[in-house]
């Protein structure tokens, strides 16, 4: 298959406007004849479902949580980007576009990224109209703060709860449509498969998580808004329920999976404290606005710190190495996440880590509190400081926070074109479930922007174009393909329940996570990736022989839920390894140690790797087939990224 991105011709700033005009429309009376399935009710899913229902389509929305309000979007803390230029500090749509392309290390499509920057300005107005309580300046204007990878302040925020407030806004819009009868909501329901008829997505198979009932749902189009796959690493900042299952089952039905090895490691997370942990806690990147990152300047001093012989506040100024400010004077502590994470790893590898494990650096607010006063810092970050104190038992107003990088976001996902369509007609992927906008590294505060852009401002146009072309002939779940998919789902469930092995699902998940973190985490090597591939193959074989899945299907069975998800993670992990091995360059969050500059920065190979890697599933036990979508840059110049 030739991957057609369907990027419209013409000047960058006119592409989306012209494309909207050229798309076919469904008239208001006909919209009620179409059914649309939305899987996932985070920001992308809730905004898409609400917008499509508002237009008149009949929508079914599915989530595995008990309420859309529990979607993982709620966990986003620091803010949402938009090129409003309220600060009058030089921002513009083009600058947001440029910062995003550069931040992603020139591995994203220009057309998609420019559209994202363009519609970002509308998102803020939409959310304010919904009552989202963004922070405001003294005079009542919306406030902005700066984030990594930019030299302007364009991030709108609601203290450290931006994701929660935005989700409540989208949820209120969704709830209105539920009350109007235009959206039927299916909570505690997990998608198990996509159903294709004549090559087009025509519905899904689900499992009721309370009763175990396997059900079928038909529609004219299916939208996957199911988030990222960071939990393949076991320990991540993702909610424990976050998984890859919906996207992976679509992949096995023919949807190509793009750039799976692009994982974002967030630089400011509470460090790992032991094997008992099931997840990690994010500390917002917004903290780097006022917190200064440092470690002791010598290994000897760091050792004293780790042994408890001295405290952080005992270390004099001239014995502190503010390494980000030293190495990147232009951006300082606000370098992009991949750069900040890698440098934290470097100083800890040198032996200058500050906690007992040696895997932590300081994020210090001493100077900001002296400069602005504790009340000001409390107003900006109070809930984040409280959260840190509850988890660690230390007061960050008095001692520096300790942070270390952790898996956070995945830039890879299902391949989509400009219309957000996967390689299966009628199947769309929105938000973090697709690969489209962030290249090899996402800038902070851009995940919320993309989710809402896709749901509110892109998919209502593009899905309408598809529906207008296929016509409103009724779809129903009586087709033999639905029964065939149901049978396959039931057989898989029975297979998992019948193994009755000796090891828990978590045992396999943790082992997979350690392999992925050690060999495909912050740094990768050809040798390590080869070993990881063999290790995951062996682990997958062991899983299908010796996993212990308790209970039965016809009941609430969290052991079975996890088993499904971990089985998919094991397959995905292997593809991530293949993708990382194949990409013989470093770019953004993908850092191959063999390919780096003398200063330890990512060294791209634009001649050979300026493409999107899209993988096609060929069948059980077969290696996946790589397809390449070349990336063309007409408006930005490919240069070695520099934040110095």
């Amino acid at each position: 298959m030739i991957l057609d991105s369907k990027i419209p011709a013409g000047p960058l700033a006119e592409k989306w406007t012209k494309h909207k005009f050229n798309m076919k429309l469904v008239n208001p009376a006909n919209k009620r004849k179409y059914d649309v399935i939305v899987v996932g009710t985070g920001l992308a899913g809730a905004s898409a479902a609400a917008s499509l229902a508002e237009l008149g389509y009949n929508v079914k929305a599915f989530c595995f949580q008990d309420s859309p309000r529990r979607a993982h979007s709620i966990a986003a803390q620091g803010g949402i980007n938009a090129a409003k230029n309220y600060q009058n500090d030089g921002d513009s749509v083009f600058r947001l576009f440029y910062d995003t392309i550069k931040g992603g290390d020139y591995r994203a499509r220009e057309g998609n990224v420019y559209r994202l920057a363009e519609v970002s300005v509308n998102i803020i107005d939409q959310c304010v109209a919904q009552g989202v309580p963004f922070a405001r300046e003294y005079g009542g204007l919306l406030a902005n703060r700066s984030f990594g990878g930019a030299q302007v302040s364009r991030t709108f925020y609601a203290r450290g709860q931006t994701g929660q407030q935005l989700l409540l806004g989208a949820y209120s819009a969704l709830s209105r449509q539920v009350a109007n009868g235009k959206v039927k909501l299916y909570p505690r329901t997990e998608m198990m498969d996509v159903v294709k008829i004549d090559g087009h997505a025509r519905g899904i198979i689900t499992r009721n998580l309370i009763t175990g009932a396997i059900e079928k749902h038909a529609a004219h189009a299916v939208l996957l808004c199911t988030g990222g796959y960071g939990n393949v690493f076991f320990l991540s900042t993702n909610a424990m329920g976050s998984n890859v299952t919906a996207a992976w089952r679509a992949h096995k039905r023919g949807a190509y999976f793009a750039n799976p090895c692009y994982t974002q490691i967030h630089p400011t997370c509470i460090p790992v404290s032991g094997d008992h942990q099931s997840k990690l806690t994010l500390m917002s990147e917004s903290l780097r606005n006022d917190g200064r990152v440092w470690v002791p300047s010598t290994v000897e001093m760091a050792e004293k710190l780790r042994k408890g012989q001295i405290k952080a506040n005992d270390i004099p100024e001239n014995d502190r190495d503010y390494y980000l400010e030293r190495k990147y004077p232009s951006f300082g502590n606000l370098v992009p996440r991949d750069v900040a994470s890698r440098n934290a790893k470097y100083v800890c590898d040198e032996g200058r880590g500050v906690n007992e494990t040696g895997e932590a650096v300081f994020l210090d607010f001493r100077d900001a509190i002296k400069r602005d006063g504790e009340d000001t810092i409390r107003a900006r970050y109070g809930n984040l400081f409280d959260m840190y104190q509850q988890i660690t038992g230390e007061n960050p107003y008095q001692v520096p926070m300790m942070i270390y990088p952790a898996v956070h976001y995945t830039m890879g996902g299902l391949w989509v074109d400009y219309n957000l369509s996967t390689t299966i007609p009628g199947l769309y992927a929105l938000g973090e479930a697709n690969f489209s906008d962030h290249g090899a590294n996402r800038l902070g505060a851009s995940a919320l922007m993309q989710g809402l852009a896709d749901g509110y401002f892109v998919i209502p146009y593009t899905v309408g174009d598809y529906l207008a072309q296929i016509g409103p002939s009724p779809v129903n779940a009586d087709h033999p393909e639905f029964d065939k998919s149901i049978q396959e789902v039931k057989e898989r469930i029975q297979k998992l329940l019948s193994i009755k092995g000796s090891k828990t699902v978590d045992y396999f998940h943790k082992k997979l996570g350690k392999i992925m973190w050690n060999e495909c985490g912050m740094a990768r090597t050809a040798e390590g990736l080869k070993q990881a591939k063999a290790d995951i193959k062996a682990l997958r074989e062991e899983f299908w022989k010796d996993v212990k899945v308790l209970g039965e299907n016809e009941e609430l069975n969290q052991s079975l839920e996890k088993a499904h998800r971990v089985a998919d993670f094991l397959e995905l992990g292997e593809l991530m390894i293949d993708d990382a091995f194949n990409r013989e360059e470093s770019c953004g969050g993908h850092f191959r140690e063999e390919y780096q500059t003398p200063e330890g920065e990512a060294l791209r190979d634009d001649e050979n790797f300026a493409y999107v890697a899209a993988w096609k599933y060929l069948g059980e036990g077969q290696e996946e087939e790589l397809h390449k979508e070349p990336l063309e840059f007409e408006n930005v110049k490919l240069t070695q990224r520099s934040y110095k």
Side-chain angles (χ1 to χ4, degrees):
M1 177 189 282
I2 295 172
L3 293 169
D4 180 5
S5 63
K6 294 189 172 64
I7 300 289
L12 192 64
E14 297 173 15
K15 287 182 189 293
W16 179 231
T17 302
K18 284 185 175 176
H19 191 60
K20 284 191 288 185
F21 177 74
N22 289 329
M23 282 190 283
K24 295 186 184 310
L25 299 175
V26 179
N27 85 53
N30 282 343
K31 287 191 174 90
R32 64 179 70 99
K33 299 174 184 175
Y34 290 97
D35 301 318
V36 180
I37 283 170
V38 179
V39 185
T41 54
L43 285 181
S47 59
S51 300
L52 293 172
E54 183 80 42
L55 287 170
Y57 298 107
N58 307 307
V59 179
K60 288 182 176 181
F62 297 82
C63 63
F64 64 73
Q65 300 92 347
D66 56 357
S67 163
R69 288 176 299 173
R70 292 188 184 274
H72 184 57
S73 301
I74 203 171
Q77 297 170 346
I80 176 171
N81 288 331
K84 286 283 200 184
N85 195 31
Y86 283 170
Q87 305 295 314
N88 203 25
D89 59 357
D91 200 11
S92 65
V93 168
F94 193 87
R95 189 176 292 279
L96 174 52
F97 154 74
Y98 175 76
D99 286 346
T100 306
I101 287 278
K102 177 185 174 185
D105 218 352
Y106 305 96
R107 289 294 177 262
R109 284 190 202 128
E110 283 190 343
N112 285 65
V113 176
Y114 190 88
R115 176 177 64 188
L116 177 65
E118 189 181 343
V119 304
S120 70
V121 296
N122 300 326
I123 295 170
I124 303 305
D125 299 337
Q126 171 95 359
C127 295
V128 168
Q130 291 173 337
V132 173
F134 286 122
R136 294 180 181 266
E137 303 287 7
Y138 177 73
L141 297 175
L142 295 180
N144 288 122
R145 56 188 175 202
S146 49
F147 250 62
Q151 290 179 304
V152 295
S153 296
R154 63 163 69 100
T155 304
F156 295 78
Y157 62 98
R159 294 188 78 186
Q161 307 168 352
T162 315
Q164 180 178 3
Q165 299 302 331
L166 290 171
L167 187 62
L168 288 172
Y171 174 68
S172 67
L174 176 63
S175 296
R176 181 169 168 268
Q177 297 305 325
V178 172
N180 287 345
K182 292 304 291 179
V183 174
K184 186 163 186 194
L185 193 60
Y186 292 83
R188 302 297 288 139
T189 304
E190 184 154 35
M191 183 190 123
M192 305 305 292
D193 207 353
V194 173
V195 179
K196 278 166 56 180
I197 299 173
D198 299 327
H200 289 242
R202 282 289 175 265
I204 61 172
I205 305 300
T206 62
R207 179 176 180 270
N208 183 311
L209 295 181
I210 296 178
T211 66
I214 308 301
E215 296 158 350
K216 51 188 179 179
H217 301 272
H220 293 90
V222 177
L223 278 52
L224 300 184
C225 312
T226 49
Y229 49 87
N231 277 352
V232 69
F233 291 87
F234 186 71
L235 283 181
S236 82
T237 65
N238 289 198
M240 287 185 65
S242 297
N243 62 80
V244 76
T245 290
W248 192 252
R249 303 294 167 81
H251 174 54
K252 293 176 84 166
R253 290 292 180 194
Y256 288 14
F257 209 102
N259 299 335
C261 79
Y262 287 166
T263 305
Q264 177 166 78
I265 314 291
H266 197 294
T268 52
C269 298
I270 295 178
V272 176
S273 59
D275 282 343
H276 62 281
Q277 275 184 275
S278 54
K279 77 177 298 294
L280 296 172
T281 304
L282 173 72
M283 298 306 295
S284 169
E285 182 177 324
S286 63
L287 295 168
R288 290 198 279 149
N289 276 301
D290 289 300
R292 298 179 73 192
V293 179
W294 66 276
V295 290
S297 54
T298 66
V299 173
E300 293 74 28
M301 196 163 289
E303 283 176 354
K304 286 184 180 178
L305 201 58
R306 290 195 291 270
K307 290 174 182 173
Q309 295 169 358
I310 56 171
K311 301 283 186 190
N313 291 337
D314 299 333
I315 299 176
E317 187 69 16
N318 58 357
D319 286 330
R320 300 180 176 202
D321 178 14
Y322 297 94
Y323 57 89
L324 291 178
E325 297 171 36
R326 170 172 57 80
K327 290 178 74 173
Y328 308 99
S330 290
F331 282 72
N333 294 301
L334 288 174
V335 292
R337 291 174 174 178
D338 61 317
V339 177
S341 295
R342 217 159 25 246
N343 278 277
K345 181 179 187 299
Y346 289 156
V347 294
C348 290
D349 287 349
E350 289 170 1
R352 295 194 283 152
V354 298
N355 68 346
E356 288 179 9
T357 66
E359 292 189 330
V361 299
F362 286 129
L363 182 63
D364 196 342
F365 290 84
R366 182 191 67 175
D367 294 344
I369 290 170
K370 274 184 193 171
R371 181 183 67 240
D372 298 330
E374 186 175 316
D375 288 346
T376 301
I377 299 302
R378 195 178 288 276
R380 286 179 192 155
Y381 313 112
N383 62 308
L384 296 171
F385 277 48
D386 292 345
M387 186 168 72
Y388 181 87
Q389 186 165 1
Q390 285 173 13
I391 291 169
T392 66
E394 293 190 334
N395 183 345
Y397 294 104
Q398 295 169 3
V399 298
M401 287 183 180
M402 284 193 280
I403 56 165
Y404 195 67
V407 170
H408 179 53
Y409 186 92
T410 47
M411 285 74 66
L414 292 177
W415 184 91
V416 293
D417 62 17
Y418 193 67
N419 294 327
L420 305 183
S421 172
T422 68
T423 47
I424 300 175
L427 180 70
Y428 294 80
L430 284 66
E432 195 179 352
N434 73 33
F435 87 100
S436 68
D437 293 353
H438 307 296
N441 174 61
R442 179 176 67 80
L443 290 185
S446 286
L448 304 182
M449 175 173 66
Q450 188 210 341
L452 292 179
D454 288 355
Y456 282 137
F457 298 110
V458 178
I459 202 67
Y461 289 95
T462 60
V463 81
D465 179 59
Y466 169 76
L467 295 173
Q469 292 180 56
I470 64 166
S473 54
V475 293
N476 63 61
D478 295 333
H479 194 281
E481 286 296 328
F482 279 91
D483 294 330
K484 184 180 169 190
S485 290
I486 280 185
Q487 190 56 37
E488 288 175 14
V489 167
K490 286 182 175 177
E491 285 171 6
R492 183 182 171 92
I493 289 171
Q494 204 45 51
K495 186 176 178 184
L496 283 167
L497 290 170
S498 65
I499 295 169
K500 301 192 186 303
S502 62
K503 297 185 177 76
T504 65
V505 177
D506 271 357
Y507 165 85
F508 290 100
H509 197 177
K510 283 182 181 179
K511 284 197 83 165
L512 173 66
K514 282 186 176 169
I515 295 167
M516 294 300 297
W517 177 249
N518 291 336
E519 307 303 345
C520 200
M522 271 196 282
R524 297 112 189 247
T525 64
E527 192 181 335
L529 291 165
K530 272 185 191 171
Q531 186 59 51
K533 171 102 171 166
D535 291 346
I536 293 173
K537 271 184 180 292
L539 188 65
R540 187 144 65 99
E541 284 178 20
E542 188 187 358
F543 174 88
W544 285 104
K545 286 177 187 169
D546 200 26
V547 71
K548 184 174 189 173
V549 182
L550 302 170
E552 300 298 329
N553 178 50
E554 291 72 27
E555 61 184 4
L556 174 65
N557 187 341
Q558 291 186 311
S559 178
L560 180 60
E561 284 174 44
K562 280 186 185 177
H564 279 301
R565 296 168 188 171
V566 172
D568 292 331
F569 278 142
L570 284 161
E571 294 179 13
L572 167 70
E574 208 171 313
L575 183 61
M576 291 172 72
I577 298 293
D578 288 343
D579 192 41
F581 184 77
N582 179 73
R583 189 168 283 277
E584 295 178 339
E585 64 164 353
S586 290
C587 54
H590 167 65
F591 192 75
R592 284 281 296 268
E593 290 184 2
E594 304 96 324
Y595 309 102
Q596 55 182 299
T597 67
E599 294 85 29
E601 305 294 346
L603 183 61
R604 294 195 323 270
D605 178 354
D606 295 328
E607 192 176 334
N608 295 305
F609 292 96
Y611 62 74
V612 176
W615 296 85
K616 179 183 180 182
Y617 180 76
L618 294 179
E620 192 69 39
Q622 294 188 57
E623 296 293 313
E624 300 217 1
E625 183 177 88
L626 173 62
H627 292 248
K628 299 175 183 178
E629 180 206 329
L631 291 168
E632 296 172 8
F633 296 93
E634 299 170 359
N635 300 275
V636 297
K637 187 180 175 187
L638 288 165
T639 58
Q640 176 65 37
R641 268 197 317 170
S642 174
Y643 292 95
K644 295 187 175 180

